[in-house]
Amino acid sequence: MSNATVERRNPALVQPEPMLRSHPNLLPFIADYHLAYLLPIVIYWVIGLTFHVFDTYGWFSQYKTHTPAEVLKRNHATLSNVLKYAVIQQIAQCIFGWVLSGGPELVYSHEYYIAQWIQTVHWARSNVMSSRIYDNSALWELALAQTLYWFVVPTVQLSVALFLSDTWQYFTHRLLHQNKWLYKNVHAVHHEIHVNYAFGGFYNHPAETIIIDAIGFPICLNMAGLSTRQGIIATASWTVKNVVDHCGYAFPYDPCNLLCPRSQWYHDLHHQSWGMKYNFSNYTPFWDWALGTGWDSHDAKAKDNYRKSRALAEYQVNRGNRAVDSAVVAKNSAMAPSAEVASPANSTPFDPKAQNAPSSMNGDTAARGSHVQGPNSPVPIVKQVDFKNCSSQEELLGEIIESVRLSGGCVVRNLVEREALQEVETEVRPWLEKAEPWNGDFWPPETRKVMGLMGKSKAFALNIVWNPLWQKVGQHFLSSTLKDYYVGSDEQHSISNPQLNNTVVFSVNGGAKAQVLHRDDVVHHTWPPAAASHTLGRDNGIGFFVAGKRSTVANGATRFIPGSHLWDYSIPPPAEPCPLVCQPELEPGDALMMLSGCYHGASANTTADEERLVYSTFSTRGYLRQEENQYLACEREKVLELPVELQRFMGYTLSRPFMGWVEMDDPIKVIDPKAESLGDLW
C-alpha cells in the first residue's frame, strides 16, 4: 500500500481548524483555576477530620504508629496551634494561587492535538521505520496517537512534575535542617510534633509555606508543562500523600504507598529527634537513596530507639509527673529563667548508623517550653565532637560548652593520645594491683580504684588533669567573679578560679554490678531548684572521664541522665532500668565531660573477663572545700615535680579575694618559698 493511500485513508492527517477555547469546568459551580488551589484545602480537612474521628473514638487503634502515652508526653504543639498554622498556610495558598492562576486556560480541541500526534507518528513511520508495515497503518497511527495524547504524555508530564517537586522539596527541606538559623527560626515549628497526626501535615512556619509550597511547587508544575487539570490531579494527589504520611496510622494496604514507595514509618522516623538527619524526601525516596540520607524505619537500631521512646513515655505517665511538675513550677516560678531551645538545631546528635553511637545516646528532644525541667521533660541530645577533626579549637570549645549546658554532658573523641595513655597506665598499674576491694555497697568488689593520683602519676597529672581543653571547660562553668564590692572607697572585683576536686582511676572487672545513680554535687550540700534552662553559677563541679581501654555497654560504660542537671534536687533518680539514661561508648583516648549535678553511675560489667579502665577527675569552685584532700593525699616532693600552675590548681593558691591564705600570704610559698606570690590579699 502506498503512502498516498495511507494518507487518503487517514483523514486526521488533514488538521482541524486550530481554534482556542476554554475547557468546560470540571465542576459547574467553580472554575478549574480556582479548584486547583482550593481542592487541596478541602482534602486536608476531609482526611484530617476523618483521622481525628479515628483518634477520638479509638477506631483502628491497632494500626497506630505511637502509643497514647507518647501522644500525651512527646508533642509540643497543641491541636489549636496546629490548626491555626494550617489556616495561615491555606490563606497564603489561596492568595498565591489566585495571583498565579491567570484566569481560564485556553486550549485547542482534543482532535487538533491528536492530529498533531498522528502527523508525528506518520512521519516517524515513514522516515524512521519501514514505510510498509500493515495494511491498516492509518488505524494503527490513530490508535498510537490517541494513546500518546491521552496516556503516555500526561504520565510523562506528571512524572517530571513529581521528580521536580521531589527534588525541590528534598533540597530545601535538607537546607532547613542543616542551616541552624533556618531550623531554629523556621523549620523547628514543624518538628514540635514528634508523634504525627493528620492535621500536622500543614503545621509549618508561614515562611516555609510561602517559599516551598506556595511558590516553589507551582513553579515545578509549570516547568513540567502541566495543564490546569493535570495540576489539579498533582496537587490533590500529593496533598493526600502529605496528610496520610502524617496521619499516625500505618495500614497494611495503603494505596498511597503503591504510588510512592514510602510508608508512614519512613516520614515518622524523620520526626524523631534521633532521625532528623535522615529521610528528607517527601514523595519518593530517590534523593535519600542517591545521597545516603535514607534510614529504614525497620532497621534494628531504629526499632530500638522507638522502643526507648515508648518506654520513656510510659514511664512518665506512670510516674504521674504532671503533678510533680505543677508543684515544682509553683515552688520555683520566681527563680525560673527564660526558656531556651534545646533542639537538633543547637546540638548535633550521634549518627545512629555510626559504629560508636549506641542508640541510648539519642534521646528525644524538641524545642523546650517555659516550664522547668524534670523527669518528664524531653531528654536533650548529648553531642559528640572530634578533637582531631575539628575546624578550630575555639569552635570546638563552644560546641562542648553548648552541649554541656543543654544536656549536662559531651563526648569528645580522640582527646588524649594513645602514647600518653600507655604512660599513665604504666605508672598507675602497680598501684591498682595493690588496691583492695571497697568495703561497702557503693562500689562492687570487682572494682579496684586508686586515688591521690597527683602524687602517684605525673603522666596522669600532665595529660589528663592538665588537659588544656578540659581546663577551659572548667574555667567556663566554675569560675566565679565577685563584682562591685568596696574596700574603703576603692571599688573591687575578684575572680575565683576552679580547683581540683578529686582524682581516681577505676579498674572494673567482669561480673561487677551496676552502681546506683547519684549526683556528686551533694558533697557540697548543693540543693538547687529546678530550672527551665542552664545559667552559670548553678554548678559546683564538673567531671572528666577518659577511657584507658574500650568502654562499652557490655563492660559497664558510665551511664548518666541528660538534662538531670536542671532537675529539682529533691527529685530522686528514676527506677531502673531507666529509659532516660545515656550510656556513651568510648574508645581509648575518648572522654566524657559531665556536670556533677547529673545523675550518673557506673554500669554493670556483664563480660567474663574484660577490664574497663577509666581515668576520672573532677573540678570544683575555688572557694569550696575539695572532695579529696590534696594536701594530705600527695607528698610534697611529688607536688614539687609538677608545674607551678598545676600546683595552684591542686589548691596551693588563693581563691580571690583572700580565701586560703597561710600566714596572710599565698599558700604556694609554703611548698616552695621561691615561688612568686600573687601579691596583696586584695
Coordinates of all heavy atoms in Angstrom, one line a residue, residues 385-420:
V385 N 31.9 15.4 69.7 CA 32.8 16.2 68.9 C 34.1 15.4 68.7 O 34.4 14.5 69.5 CB 33.1 17.6 69.5 CG1 31.8 18.4 69.5 CG2 33.7 17.4 70.9
D386 N 34.9 15.7 67.7 CA 36.1 15.0 67.5 C 37.3 16.0 67.6 O 37.4 17.0 66.8 CB 36.1 14.4 66.1 CG 37.2 13.4 65.9 OD1 38.3 13.6 66.4 OD2 37.0 12.3 65.3
F387 N 38.1 15.8 68.6 CA 39.2 16.7 68.8 C 40.2 16.8 67.6 O 40.7 17.9 67.3 CB 40.0 16.3 70.1 CG 41.2 17.2 70.4 CD1 41.0 18.4 71.0 CD2 42.5 16.7 70.2 CE1 42.1 19.2 71.3 CE2 43.6 17.5 70.5 CZ 43.4 18.8 71.0
K388 N 40.4 15.7 67.0 CA 41.4 15.7 65.9 C 40.9 16.2 64.6 O 41.6 16.7 63.7 CB 41.9 14.2 65.6 CG 42.8 13.7 66.7 CD 43.4 12.3 66.3 CE 44.4 11.9 67.3 NZ 45.0 10.5 67.0
N389 N 39.6 16.2 64.4 CA 39.0 16.6 63.2 C 38.1 17.9 63.3 O 37.2 18.1 62.5 CB 38.1 15.5 62.6 CG 38.9 14.3 62.3 OD1 40.0 14.4 61.7 ND2 38.5 13.1 62.7
C390 N 38.4 18.8 64.2 CA 37.7 20.0 64.4 C 38.3 21.1 63.5 O 39.5 21.1 63.2 CB 37.7 20.4 65.9 SG 39.3 20.9 66.5
S391 N 37.5 22.0 63.1 CA 38.0 23.1 62.3 C 38.8 24.1 63.1 O 39.8 24.7 62.5 CB 36.8 23.9 61.6 OG 35.9 24.3 62.6
S392 N 38.5 24.4 64.3 CA 39.2 25.3 65.2 C 39.0 24.9 66.6 O 37.9 24.4 67.0 CB 38.9 26.7 64.9 OG 37.6 27.0 65.4
Q393 N 40.0 25.2 67.5 CA 39.9 24.9 68.9 C 38.8 25.7 69.5 O 38.0 25.3 70.4 CB 41.2 25.1 69.6 CG 42.3 24.2 69.2 CD 42.0 22.7 69.7 OE1 41.7 22.5 70.9 NE2 42.0 21.8 68.8
E394 N 38.7 27.0 69.1 CA 37.6 27.9 69.6 C 36.2 27.4 69.3 O 35.3 27.4 70.2 CB 37.8 29.3 69.1 CG 36.9 30.3 69.6 CD 37.1 31.7 69.1 OE1 38.1 31.9 68.4 OE2 36.3 32.6 69.3
E395 N 36.0 26.9 68.1 CA 34.7 26.4 67.7 C 34.4 25.1 68.5 O 33.3 24.9 68.9 CB 34.7 26.1 66.2 CG 33.3 25.6 65.7 CD 33.3 25.4 64.2 OE1 34.2 26.0 63.5 OE2 32.5 24.6 63.7
L396 N 35.4 24.3 68.6 CA 35.3 23.0 69.4 C 34.9 23.3 70.8 O 33.9 22.7 71.4 CB 36.6 22.2 69.3 CG 36.5 20.9 70.1 CD1 35.6 19.9 69.4 CD2 38.0 20.3 70.2
L397 N 35.5 24.2 71.5 CA 35.2 24.6 72.8 C 33.8 25.1 72.9 O 33.1 24.7 73.9 CB 36.2 25.7 73.3 CG 36.0 26.2 74.7 CD1 36.1 25.1 75.8 CD2 36.9 27.4 75.1
G398 N 33.4 25.9 72.0 CA 32.0 26.4 72.0 C 31.0 25.3 71.9 O 29.9 25.3 72.5
E399 N 31.3 24.3 71.0 CA 30.3 23.1 70.9 C 30.2 22.3 72.2 O 29.1 21.9 72.6 CB 30.8 22.3 69.7 CG 30.6 22.9 68.4 CD 31.0 21.9 67.3 OE1 32.2 21.8 66.9 OE2 30.1 21.2 66.8
I400 N 31.4 22.1 72.8 CA 31.4 21.4 74.1 C 30.6 22.1 75.1 O 29.7 21.5 75.8 CB 32.8 21.1 74.6 CG1 33.6 20.2 73.6 CG2 32.8 20.5 75.9 CD1 35.0 20.1 73.9
I401 N 30.8 23.4 75.3 CA 30.1 24.2 76.3 C 28.6 24.2 76.0 O 27.8 24.0 77.0 CB 30.7 25.6 76.3 CG1 32.1 25.6 76.9 CG2 29.8 26.5 77.1 CD1 32.8 27.0 76.8
E402 N 28.2 24.3 74.8 CA 26.8 24.3 74.5 C 26.1 22.9 74.8 O 25.0 22.9 75.3 CB 26.6 24.6 73.0 CG 25.2 24.7 72.5 CD 24.5 26.0 73.1 OE1 25.1 26.8 73.8 OE2 23.3 26.2 72.8
S403 N 26.8 21.8 74.5 CA 26.3 20.5 74.8 C 26.2 20.3 76.3 O 25.2 19.8 76.8 CB 27.1 19.4 74.1 OG 26.6 18.2 74.4
V404 N 27.2 20.7 77.0 CA 27.2 20.5 78.5 C 26.1 21.4 79.1 O 25.4 21.0 80.0 CB 28.6 20.9 79.1 CG1 28.5 20.9 80.6 CG2 29.6 19.9 78.6
R405 N 25.9 22.6 78.6 CA 24.9 23.5 79.1 C 23.5 22.9 78.9 O 22.7 23.0 79.8 CB 25.0 24.9 78.4 CG 24.1 25.9 79.0 CD 24.4 27.2 78.3 NE 23.9 27.2 76.9 CZ 22.7 27.4 76.5 NH1 21.8 27.7 77.4 NH2 22.4 27.3 75.2
L406 N 23.3 22.4 77.7 CA 21.9 21.9 77.4 C 21.6 20.5 78.0 O 20.5 20.3 78.5 CB 21.7 21.9 75.9 CG 21.7 23.2 75.2 CD1 21.7 23.0 73.7 CD2 20.5 24.0 75.6
S407 N 22.6 19.6 77.9 CA 22.3 18.2 78.2 C 23.0 17.8 79.5 O 22.7 16.8 80.1 CB 22.8 17.3 77.1 OG 24.2 17.2 77.0
G408 N 24.0 18.6 79.9 CA 24.8 18.2 81.1 C 26.1 17.5 80.8 O 26.9 17.2 81.7
G409 N 26.3 17.1 79.5 CA 27.5 16.3 79.1 C 27.9 16.5 77.7 O 27.1 17.0 76.9
C410 N 29.0 16.0 77.3 CA 29.5 16.0 76.0 C 30.6 14.9 75.8 O 31.4 14.7 76.7 CB 30.1 17.4 75.6 SG 30.6 17.5 73.9
V411 N 30.6 14.2 74.7 CA 31.6 13.2 74.4 C 32.6 13.8 73.4 O 32.2 14.4 72.4 CB 31.0 12.0 73.7 CG1 32.1 11.0 73.3 CG2 30.1 11.3 74.7
V412 N 33.9 13.7 73.8 CA 35.0 14.3 73.0 C 35.8 13.1 72.5 O 36.5 12.4 73.3 CB 35.9 15.3 73.8 CG1 36.9 15.9 72.8 CG2 35.0 16.3 74.4
R413 N 35.8 12.9 71.2 CA 36.6 11.8 70.6 C 38.0 12.2 70.4 O 38.3 13.3 70.1 CB 36.0 11.4 69.3 CG 34.5 11.0 69.3 CD 34.3 9.7 70.0 NE 32.9 9.3 70.0 CZ 32.3 8.3 70.7 NH1 33.1 7.7 71.5 NH2 31.1 8.0 70.6
N414 N 38.9 11.2 70.6 CA 40.4 11.4 70.3 C 41.0 12.5 71.0 O 41.8 13.3 70.5 CB 40.5 11.6 68.8 CG 40.0 10.4 68.0 OD1 40.3 9.2 68.2 ND2 39.1 10.7 67.0
L415 N 40.7 12.7 72.3 CA 41.2 13.8 73.0 C 42.6 13.6 73.6 O 43.5 14.5 73.6 CB 40.2 14.2 74.2 CG 40.6 15.4 75.0 CD1 40.8 16.6 74.1 CD2 39.6 15.7 76.1
V416 N 42.9 12.4 74.1 CA 44.1 12.0 74.7 C 44.9 11.0 73.8 O 44.3 10.0 73.4 CB 44.0 11.5 76.1 CG1 45.3 11.2 76.8 CG2 43.2 12.5 77.0
E417 N 46.1 11.3 73.5 CA 46.9 10.4 72.7 C 47.1 9.0 73.3 O 47.2 8.9 74.6 CB 48.3 11.0 72.4 CG 48.2 12.3 71.6 CD 47.7 12.1 70.1 OE1 47.8 10.9 69.7 OE2 47.3 13.0 69.5
R418 N 47.2 8.0 72.5 CA 47.3 6.6 73.0 C 48.7 6.5 73.7 O 48.8 5.7 74.7 CB 47.3 5.6 71.8 CG 46.0 5.6 71.0 CD 44.8 5.0 71.9 NE 43.6 5.0 71.1 CZ 43.1 4.0 70.5 NH1 43.8 2.8 70.5 NH2 41.9 4.0 69.9
E419 N 49.7 7.1 73.3 CA 51.0 7.0 73.9 C 51.0 7.6 75.3 O 51.6 7.0 76.3 CB 52.1 7.8 73.1 CG 52.4 7.2 71.7 CD 51.3 7.6 70.7 OE1 50.4 8.4 71.0 OE2 51.4 7.0 69.6
A420 N 50.2 8.7 75.5 CA 50.1 9.3 76.8 C 49.3 8.3 77.7 O 49.6 8.2 78.9 CB 49.4 10.6 76.7

